[in-house]
């Protein structure tokens, strides 16, 4: 359900994290404070999708748009073996989420006037990790989906199996007591202890036990960046997303391409509007797969890419055979009583990340290193201190009339695709958040599951529209309406008079609450 308020709203993918964040807002915390508390809680209650051993990016709004990129980098020594999607050889980039939290807290304290302590922000997460919480439907779903994989990743047993070895089911209780101890240390010593203190030493011991590629010095070199967001003109407003190495520049490019066409002329939900969205995504993804990389290592002009439209054939589908980027993440956001907004995307990359808990820390490490290209000549090939091409790319749109929109979604390649649907619903067709989130989605290519490179269409898209897309040359496949495979999105909108509306995706268990 959606909620509205001029005093503050929050939306997250789990009811408990939403409640925790709302309590922070009620205690006078900022939108940033609410995000820290909610994200820490998600690490305790939603561990298959996110955690403190991953990366994070932030969109902040306080009279202007700003951002934080917390993306970890490759280590100082070359991998001893090829980087894999799971297991010890996937633990090959540092984790930038906690560094981004520290950067955000600095803004919250010194610019937004927060006086809430780190101890208060982490209190609820520590309690849920220590005392236990119930398995969500999402966690149970992905445990079932990954049964064969999880058999070979025993580190995950505390969050995927009962004491008798059977898979956890919805409603079972699970605990993460090692994670609780690590959160307590961070609460006592400060967040940067993760990189240069007691927690860092424990992580280093865990890396050593894995015979891995990361060192204590690699942790110490991890930094969050205050990156300038890419801004492009779309309709009657400015659209913002993240620069390289984020794929956000290609989401922006897809909208720049769509800006050449009057979607309203074709009508909401028309075959032509879906065709143009799909074709814009195809062009963006094709270019992304060739060029996206860390701009510190290869020349890449994010703004030029984002603001250059692709040529589309409005009458025929172009061929498609690009490799997909499966990934999982969480999007959450809050607006506080002063109208400031914080949006956070945090990720382990794939569901369950690398599958490795590091030492005795209870920290599940991400597998973002799998985002490097295995071709040593590719711009996105592994390199010392290099950041891999990244999927995280939450959106922000500031209309000329003062209306503000913040939205994002889980889902690797699905993120830009879902964001195009949301953007066109909200901006082109002036729909409310509930209609936008319920609108039929498409998913091009392989993403979450081993299927086909077809264009997957939710069944709620009328059959006549699906048939018309087939006639345009798209090879289509029908998936259930409100399919979780098309992402777990969320939206906050704020009108010029300060009324905030929030809602999370009906495809999941996420909630929105108002203060």
């Amino acid at each position: 359900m959606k909620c509205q308020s001029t005093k503050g709203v929050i939306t997250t993918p789990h009811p408990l994290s939403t409640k925790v964040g709302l309590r922070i807002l009620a205690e006078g915390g900022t939108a940033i404070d609410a995000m820290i508390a909610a994200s820490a809680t998600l690490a305790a209650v939603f561990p298959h999708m996110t955690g403190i051993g991953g990366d994070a990016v932030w969109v902040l709004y306080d009279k202007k748009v700003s951002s934080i990129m917390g993306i970890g980098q490759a280590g100082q020594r070359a991998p001893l073996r090829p980087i894999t999607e799971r297991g010890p050889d996937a633990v090959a980039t540092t984790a930038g989420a906690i560094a981004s939290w520290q950067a955000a807290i600095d803004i919250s304290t010194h610019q937004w006037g927060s006086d809430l302590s780190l101890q208060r922000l982490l209190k609820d997460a520590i309690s849920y990790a220590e005392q236990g919480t119930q398995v969500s439907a999402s966690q149970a779903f992905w445990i079932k989906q990954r049964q064969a994989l999880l058999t070979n990743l025993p580190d995950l047993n505390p969050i995927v199996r009962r004491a008798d070895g059977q898979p956890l089911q919805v409603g079972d209780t699970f605990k993460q007591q090692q994670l609780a101890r690590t959160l307590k240390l961070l609460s006592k010593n400060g967040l940067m202890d993760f990189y240069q203190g007691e927690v860092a030493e424990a992580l280093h011991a865990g890396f050593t036990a894995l015979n891995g590629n990361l060192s204590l010095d690699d942790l110490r070199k991890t930094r969050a960046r205050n990156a300038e967001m890419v801004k492009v003109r779309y309709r009657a407003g400015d659209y913002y997303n993240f620069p390289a190495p984020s794929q956000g520049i290609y989401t922006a490019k897809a909208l720049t391409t769509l800006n050449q066409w009057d979607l309203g002329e074709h009508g909401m939900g028309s075959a032509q509007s879906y065709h143009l969205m799909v074709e814009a995504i195809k062009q963006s993804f094709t270019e992304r797969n060739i060029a996206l990389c860390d701009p510190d290592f290869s020349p890449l002009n994010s703004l030029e890419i984002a603001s250059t439209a692709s040529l589309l054939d409005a009458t025929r589908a172009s061929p498609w055979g690009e490799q997909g980027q499966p990934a999982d993440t969480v999007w959450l956001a809050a607006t506080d009583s002063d109208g400031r907004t914080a949006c956070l995307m945090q990720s382990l990359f794939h569901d369950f990340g690398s599958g490795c808990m590091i030492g005795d820390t209870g920290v599940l490490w991400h597998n973002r290193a799998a985002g490097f290209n295995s071709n040593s000549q590719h711009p996105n090939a592994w390199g010392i201190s290099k950041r891999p091409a990244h999927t995280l790319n939450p959106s922000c749109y500031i209309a000329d009339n003062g209306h503000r929109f913040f939205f994002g979604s889980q889902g690797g390649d699905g993120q830009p695709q879902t964001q195009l649907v949301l953007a066109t619903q909200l901006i082109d067709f002036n729909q409310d958040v509930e209609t936008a989130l319920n609108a039929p989605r498409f998913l091009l290519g392989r993403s979450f599951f081993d299927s086909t490179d077809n264009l997957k269409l939710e069944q709620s898209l009328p059959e006549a529209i699906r048939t018309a897309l087939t006639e345009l040359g798209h090879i289509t496949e029908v998936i259930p309406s409100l399919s979780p495979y098309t992402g777990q999105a969320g939206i906050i909108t704020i009108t010029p008079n300060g009324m905030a509306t929030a809602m999370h995706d009906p495809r999941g268990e996420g909630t929105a609450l108002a203060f």
Side-chain angles (χ1 to χ4, degrees):
M1 291 179 62
K2 67 180 180 182
C3 66
Q4 290 184 311
S5 175
T6 59
K7 301 296 185 183
V9 296
I10 181 169
T11 181
T12 86
H14 194 287
L16 291 178
S17 59
T18 306
K19 290 177 181 177
V20 166
L22 185 68
R23 284 199 292 268
I24 295 298
L25 292 177
E27 292 172 21
T30 68
I32 289 173
D33 295 337
M35 288 294 91
I36 297 290
S39 184
T41 299
L42 285 170
V45 305
F46 213 57
H48 58 302
M49 290 288 173
T50 187
I52 63 174
D55 287 340
V57 298
W58 296 70
V59 180
L60 304 176
Y61 181 85
D62 182 16
K63 300 183 177 62
K64 64 178 183 179
V65 179
S66 62
S67 71
I68 301 169
M69 295 184 79
I71 296 178
Q73 79 283 355
Q76 297 294 299
R77 57 175 181 259
L80 301 174
R81 297 167 296 277
I83 293 171
T84 57
E85 288 193 357
R86 314 280 183 172
D89 292 326
V91 180
T93 60
T94 64
I98 293 294
S100 81
W101 288 14
Q102 183 61 61
I105 284 177
D106 289 345
I107 293 171
S108 184
T109 302
H110 301 300
Q111 298 178 33
W112 292 15
S114 173
D115 60 4
L116 292 186
S117 67
L118 179 61
Q119 289 80 5
R120 173 64 193 94
L121 299 183
L122 299 185
K123 176 183 175 183
D124 294 286
I126 291 168
S127 176
Y128 285 123
E130 194 167 47
Q131 302 301 319
T133 188
Q134 290 187 335
V135 173
S136 66
S138 174
Q139 186 176 349
F141 173 85
W142 285 104
I143 289 172
K144 183 178 180 180
Q145 286 288 108
R146 301 300 192 195
Q147 267 306 296
L149 175 71
L150 297 178
T151 301
N152 299 316
L153 297 170
D155 281 8
L156 295 176
N157 285 348
I159 63 171
V160 303
R161 299 197 184 283
R162 298 169 174 167
D164 63 3
Q166 293 302 305
L168 287 171
Q169 304 293 328
V170 175
D172 287 344
T173 297
F174 72 101
K175 300 178 181 181
Q176 298 188 77
Q177 292 179 336
Q178 289 183 332
L179 177 63
R181 288 197 296 273
T182 293
L183 290 172
K184 286 178 181 178
L185 283 173
L186 295 176
S187 177
K188 181 181 76 170
N189 299 336
L191 292 175
M192 296 311 287
D193 196 75
F194 191 90
Y195 302 103
Q196 52 195 26
E198 239 181 302
V199 173
E201 293 285 355
L203 290 170
H204 178 237
F207 296 147
T208 302
L210 290 175
N211 193 25
N213 303 308
L214 297 180
S215 68
L216 190 58
D217 190 50
D218 295 327
L219 288 174
R220 289 174 178 153
K221 291 179 184 297
T222 305
R223 296 286 184 273
R225 306 185 186 199
N226 296 109
E228 183 177 354
M229 295 191 79
V230 168
K231 180 176 75 171
V232 298
R233 194 72 182 160
Y234 186 72
R235 310 307 183 200
D238 293 322
Y239 172 81
Y240 296 81
N241 210 309
F242 279 80
S246 165
Q247 68 172 338
I249 56 176
Y250 294 99
T251 306
K253 182 181 181 67
L255 281 171
T256 297
T257 299
L258 285 181
N259 210 27
Q260 302 173 104
W261 305 85
D262 182 0
L263 298 187
E265 178 182 294
H266 302 292
M268 186 175 78
S270 66
Q272 191 66 17
S273 66
Y274 275 90
H275 170 73
L276 291 171
M277 284 191 286
V278 173
E279 292 303 298
I281 282 292
K282 284 181 181 178
Q283 297 299 321
S284 284
F285 281 1
T286 299
E287 291 188 29
R288 179 202 65 183
N289 291 352
I290 293 170
L292 184 59
C293 63
D294 186 342
D296 291 348
F297 289 79
S298 299
L300 194 70
N301 188 321
S302 290
L303 181 57
E304 181 180 334
I305 291 169
S307 57
T308 303
S310 299
L311 296 176
L312 302 183
D313 186 341
T315 64
R316 197 68 188 164
S318 59
W320 181 249
E322 292 293 311
Q323 183 176 356
Q325 291 286 332
D328 279 306
T329 185
V330 292
W331 179 94
L332 51 158
T335 297
D336 60 32
S337 59
D338 289 316
R340 300 168 302 208
T341 298
C343 302
L344 171 61
M345 290 194 80
Q346 190 161 316
S347 174
L348 296 171
F349 196 23
H350 296 177
D351 49 284
F352 300 105
S354 67
C356 295
M357 298 282 189
I358 307 302
D360 61 359
T361 65
V363 175
L364 176 56
W365 212 255
H366 63 171
N367 63 333
R368 187 59 66 172
F372 283 122
N373 194 295
S374 59
N375 179 353
S376 63
Q377 302 305 307
H378 193 280
N380 186 42
W382 183 93
I384 291 174
S385 297
K386 193 174 184 179
R387 297 170 297 166
H390 223 278
T391 55
L392 298 185
N393 73 122
S395 291
C396 169
Y397 182 80
I398 310 296
D400 293 343
N401 65 6
H403 206 144
R404 306 190 295 276
F405 302 84
F406 303 89
F407 51 97
S409 178
Q410 160 212 39
D413 274 0
Q415 288 184 39
Q417 300 181 60
T418 291
Q419 290 186 61
L420 250 62
V421 173
L422 297 180
T424 54
Q425 287 284 317
L426 294 167
I427 301 163
D428 292 83
F429 302 116
N430 198 30
Q431 298 301 301
D432 64 16
V433 297
E434 188 168 8
T435 302
L437 285 168
N438 278 281
R441 295 180 191 164
F442 64 90
L443 183 64
L444 178 67
R446 301 168 189 251
S447 189
F448 279 111
F449 50 99
D450 293 326
S451 180
T452 65
D453 291 317
N454 294 348
L455 175 62
K456 297 159 188 67
L457 303 170
E458 288 190 317
Q459 194 167 17
S460 52
L461 191 67
E463 184 177 0
I465 305 301
R466 302 197 304 264
T467 299
L469 287 168
T470 301
E471 290 171 351
L472 284 166
H474 296 280
I475 302 172
T476 63
E477 176 183 337
V478 178
I479 59 176
S481 300
L482 299 179
S483 170
Y485 291 130
T486 61
Q488 306 285 306
I491 302 172
I492 287 182
T493 68
I494 304 102
T495 63
N497 66 4
M499 178 61 72
T501 303
M503 184 172 173
H504 216 275
D505 208 320
R507 292 162 182 79
E509 302 157 279
T511 56
L513 294 173
F515 171 54

